[in-house]
Amino acid sequence: MGEIADRYRRRADDFERKVAAVRPGQWDDPSPCEKWTARDVVQHIIDMHDVVLRELGRTPRTAPSVDEDPLAAFRAARAAV
C-alpha cells in the first residue's frame, strides 16, 4: 500500500474511533466548528469523500444517512475510498 493510502487509513481509523465514541444523545451537540453539530461534522467529512470520488469519475456508494446512523454512513464512505 502506498504512502497516501496508509495516511488515509490512519486518519480514517482515528476519525472512525471518534465517531464510534459519540453517544446517541450527543449528535446534536455543538462541535468546535462554529454553528455545526457533531452530526454536521460527520456529514461534511462524508461529503468530501464524495467530492474526491466524483473527481476520479467514481460514484459514491449508497449508504445510510448521517441522520439515521452516522457511524454506518462514515464506514460506507470510507469503504468507497
Side-chain angles (χ1 to χ4, degrees), residues 10-64:
R10 284 191 310 274
R11 290 179 178 172
D13 286 346
D14 289 344
F15 188 74
E16 186 172 324
R17 278 192 292 277
K18 286 175 177 47
V19 172
V22 176
R23 293 185 306 273
Q26 294 179 308
W27 284 110
D28 292 322
D29 288 358
S31 78
C33 301
E34 189 173 336
K35 298 183 183 179
W36 284 21
T37 64
R39 186 184 317 275
D40 294 333
V41 172
V42 175
Q43 184 64 63
H44 173 72
I45 296 299
I46 291 169
D47 290 346
M48 291 300 96
H49 279 71
D50 292 350
V51 167
V52 170
L53 290 173
R54 284 190 186 101
E55 287 294 318
L56 298 172
R58 294 179 54 200
T59 304
R61 298 181 349 176
T62 304

